[in-house]
Amino acid sequence: MDNECIAIITGGDSSEREVGLKTAASVVASYQRLGIDHQVFDVADFREVLRLNLSGFSRVFIALHGGFGENGIL
């Protein structure tokens, strides 16, 4: 995974926000162990996701639970 940077999108405003944050923390720990470059974006609502500039990332890991994280909108 050379020269790759992965965006991790987490948080959200659903009742499952804390679950998403825990998921992101686990993913971050794994990426750190593996030496994978990453950046976490904690979004409060869907509008913030729409404003993210993800052009510098090779992949996105969606760590949002409930709401727009699991219903296919994102």
Side-chain angles (χ1 to χ4, degrees), residues 1-35:
M1 298 185 88
D2 292 336
N3 299 324
E4 292 190 0
C5 188
I6 299 173
I8 302 168
I9 300 176
T10 190
D13 62 355
S14 80
S15 61
E16 295 186 45
R17 174 181 168 76
E18 293 303 316
V19 177
L21 295 174
K22 288 179 183 179
T23 298
S26 294
V27 172
V28 165
S30 294
Y31 286 173
Q32 287 174 337
R33 260 192 324 277
L34 296 169

Side-chain angles (χ1 to χ4, degrees), residues 7-65:
I8 302 168
I9 300 176
T10 190
D13 62 355
S14 80
S15 61
E16 295 186 45
R17 174 181 168 76
E18 293 303 316
V19 177
L21 295 174
K22 288 179 183 179
T23 298
S26 294
V27 172
V28 165
S30 294
Y31 286 173
Q32 287 174 337
R33 260 192 324 277
L34 296 169
I36 297 172
D37 193 19
H38 61 279
Q39 185 173 344
V40 177
F41 296 92
D42 182 348
V43 297
D45 65 40
F46 189 64
R47 290 173 297 231
E48 288 182 47
V49 174
L50 295 174
R51 290 189 290 262
L52 287 177
N53 179 359
L54 300 174
S55 63
F57 297 92
S58 56
R59 295 191 168 107
V60 176
F61 187 101
I62 301 170
L64 291 168
H65 293 272

